[in-house]
Amino acid sequence: MYCVYIIFSEVLSKYYTGQTNNIDDRLRRHNNGLSSSTKSGKPWVLIYKIEFKTRSEAMLLELKIKKRGAKRYLTDIG
């Protein structure tokens, strides 16, 4: 299973969208500063996730969210 996730940093007041096949490990890596794009926003909080059977499905939604913006996407699905 693959999941698309959105995390939020209160420090930066920003969202980050990604996809992974291990959400627990990925969130740990974000919060331990092991991802250069999110290391300044610790702590990150998981606010949304959705699972897919294939990575390609997850990647399609990730791209859609990134084009739309995570905040707007979350408002749309509201």
Side-chain angles (χ1 to χ4, degrees), residues 19-42:
Q19 55 85 22
T20 184
N21 64 347
N22 186 337
I23 189 65
D24 294 328
D25 181 60
R26 190 67 181 123
L27 187 57
R28 181 191 58 77
R29 290 173 60 206
H30 284 299
N31 281 318
N32 286 334
L34 300 176
S35 178
S36 61
S37 57
T38 58
K39 66 182 175 184
S40 63
K42 300 179 292 183

Side-chain angles (χ1 to χ4, degrees), residues 39-74:
K39 66 182 175 184
S40 63
K42 300 179 292 183
W44 291 91
V45 177
L46 179 66
I47 59 170
Y48 176 78
K49 78 172 185 173
I50 185 169
E51 293 185 344
F52 294 95
K53 290 182 182 177
T54 67
R55 184 171 185 219
S56 59
E57 289 175 297
M59 291 174 73
L60 285 172
L61 181 60
E62 177 190 20
L63 181 61
K64 178 181 176 182
I65 293 171
K66 286 183 173 182
K67 284 183 178 180
R68 179 94 176 123
K71 187 175 183 178
R72 287 171 76 193
Y73 176 80
L74 292 169

